[in-house]
Amino acid sequence: MSTLILSLPPGHPGPATEYGYTLTTDGHTATRHANAPAALLPDPGRAGEVVAVVPARALSWQRVTLPPGAGTQAPRLRAVLEGLLEERLLDDPAALHFALEPGARPGAPAWVAVCDRAWLRAALQALEAAGRPVQRVVPEFAPGPTASGAPDHFALGTPEDAHLVATAQGPDQAVAVLPLSPMALQLTGAMAGADAGGQPPAVRAEPAVAALAEQMLGRPAVLYTASQRALDAARGDWDLAQFDLASSGRTRALRKAGTTLGTFARAPQWRAARWALGLLVATQLVGLNAWAWQERQALEAKQAGVRAALTQTFPQVKVVVDAPVQMERELAQLRQAAGSVSPRDLEPMLAAAGAALPPGQLPTALDYSAGDLRLRGLELPAEALASANQRLSAAGYSSRMQDGQWLLRTGGQP
């Protein structure tokens, strides 16, 4: 499954507004990246996903503690956040969009991402009008610990408008966005000396500002392209499409399942798991085929035994078509020749019916044909019929009432 990752432009979108995009099939490697207007953006496919990335400079971060009973209903939770943040925000809360940290729960501190509501809605509507509806909205950078536990520093932008982004400065510190300068590098810890491992803090820089960052740092910076930044952002847990911008729970679950399945199918880190799963499926298929072969051989052996019993018992039978039926026919002929009766004959069936009927119940007429005995003129209550059926079943017969007649047959259900 392909994923189209779009970087939202800072201004109000128009027909000529260009979006930086990255197309990926595994979530880790870009297959294509460039800039294009919304109408010319590549199509991720019917099962693909479109992810919008909100620039760091378009977001502010607030730390809140949800009160008990805040609940999970969107209108109530939105009202709670407005009440908690009203005194901290410069703009009217009604004009802002809020997004709560994944896994936030009452009584524990949680981050809230804040951005301009009208701008974000207009950007998403422009993409939807161009046939690229967004399934997920993620922040370019988010607070929280990094893999190393140390702050991350990013030099971004152009030489004329360069800025520094610092994340994970502390458990309660948000993402810091400052103009790129020696003072900003000093304040965020990028100019600190070597850490315990003997290495100074790494600063990742876009190619356009890499030289400027290296000049201020006095050491090389790690190149970090916009495409790499988009891929890292899309793999995060955040989804800013909350409250009035949220999809239904079912839609989110389906999209999440599709994204997870696509990642498992293509991501390099899942290669070993895919091989293991393929080996397991192949082993199961081989085992099922072996078991089916053994069952088939056992069935053929039983059928051969039945045919052998028929031909050995009745040597005159030269061609075996249906061994049980042919054996029953031969036995009937032997009984007829010997003058004996079978359970399908009239006399044994009449004797079984007479033993099963309650005293005083006599039929007014009977009809016998090829092992079927029909008795008319009987009036059997439900209890008497059940008792008669039970006695007949013990004798190897079955019976039922049909059109006012009592029908008897040998064997199973008549």
Side-chain angles (χ1 to χ4, degrees):
M1 185 183 72
S2 297
T3 302
L4 178 64
I5 309 171
L6 306 174
S7 296
L8 299 181
H12 191 83
T17 302
E18 290 196 345
Y19 298 80
Y21 72 84
T22 298
L23 192 64
T24 178
T25 57
D26 60 8
H28 292 76
T29 305
T31 57
R32 197 194 324 172
H33 59 89
N35 296 299
L40 300 180
L41 290 170
D43 186 0
R46 185 174 181 180
E49 182 185 29
V50 179
V51 180
V53 180
V54 178
R57 291 199 286 187
L59 287 171
S60 66
W61 298 90
Q62 301 292 334
R63 191 75 159 165
V64 301
T65 300
L66 295 177
T72 58
Q73 296 295 326
R76 177 177 176 80
L77 190 55
R78 163 85 192 191
V80 170
L81 292 178
E82 287 186 3
L84 292 173
L85 298 174
E86 185 176 8
E87 300 297 329
R88 308 187 203 175
L89 302 172
L90 299 177
D91 297 323
D92 182 6
L96 299 174
H97 174 71
F98 301 139
L100 193 60
E101 178 182 0
R105 59 185 185 275
W111 286 106
V112 178
V114 184
C115 69
D116 185 87
R117 191 177 187 178
W119 166 79
L120 182 58
R121 181 182 292 274
L124 298 181
Q125 289 176 348
L127 291 171
E128 185 170 2
R132 299 295 180 268
V134 174
Q135 282 81 45
R136 241 179 352 123
V137 183
V138 299
E140 188 177 29
F141 300 98
T146 61
S148 64
D152 273 346
H153 303 84
F154 307 89
L156 310 175
T158 63
E160 297 78 19
D161 185 25
H163 57 281
L164 177 70
V165 178
T167 64
Q169 299 175 3
D172 296 324
Q173 292 183 316
V175 176
V177 182
L178 303 169
L180 182 60
S181 64
M183 181 176 294
L185 292 169
Q186 186 69 41
L187 287 174
T188 58
M191 302 289 286
D195 57 18
Q199 297 293 330
V203 175
R204 286 179 272 184
E206 279 191 307
V209 296
L212 180 61
E214 290 175 352
Q215 180 181 353
M216 294 180 183
L217 288 168
R219 66 175 187 270
V222 179
L223 289 181
Y224 190 55
T225 65
S227 180
Q228 291 173 316
R229 190 164 72 252
L231 291 169
D232 289 344
R235 289 196 300 270
D237 297 330
W238 277 84
D239 187 359
L240 303 182
Q242 300 180 22
F243 303 112
D244 56 326
L245 298 181
S247 303
S248 66
R250 176 181 175 86
T251 302
R252 287 198 304 272
L254 290 175
R255 288 169 178 168
K256 182 66 175 177
T259 302
T260 303
L261 183 61
T263 301
F264 177 78
R266 296 181 177 87
Q269 68 270 27
W270 290 103
R271 184 176 291 111
R274 290 195 296 269
W275 275 101
L277 180 60
L279 183 61
L280 178 62
V281 171
T283 303
Q284 293 294 325
L285 289 176
V286 171
L288 286 174
N289 286 328
W291 175 78
W293 180 82
Q294 291 178 349
E295 290 294 319
R296 187 165 55 250
Q297 294 297 315
L299 178 60
E300 291 177 355
K302 291 180 180 179
Q303 292 174 344
V306 172
R307 290 193 296 269
L310 173 62
T311 55
Q312 291 173 7
T313 306
F314 304 100
Q316 69 274 18
V317 178
K318 302 300 181 182
V319 179
V320 179
V321 178
D322 189 337
V325 173
Q326 290 175 277
M327 185 174 291
E328 184 177 358
R329 186 183 303 119
E330 295 294 330
L331 288 173
Q333 292 176 357
L334 286 177
R335 283 194 297 266
Q336 186 177 6
S340 63
V341 295
S342 72
R344 293 172 53 88
D345 292 332
L346 176 61
E347 293 84 354
M349 295 186 74
L350 283 175
L357 287 173
Q361 288 284 347
L362 296 174
T364 59
L366 62 86
D367 183 15
Y368 172 78
S369 175
D372 288 351
L373 177 63
R374 298 175 184 270
L375 302 178
R376 301 185 182 91
L378 296 174
E379 295 181 0
L380 297 176
E383 295 180 359
L385 182 61
S387 177
N389 289 339
Q390 186 175 2
R391 295 175 185 174
L392 287 172
S393 177
Y397 295 94
S398 59
S399 66
R400 65 171 175 170
M401 295 298 296
Q402 180 180 356
D403 299 330
Q405 306 175 39
W406 196 31
L407 174 62
L408 279 72
R409 283 181 179 172
T410 58
Q413 190 73 17

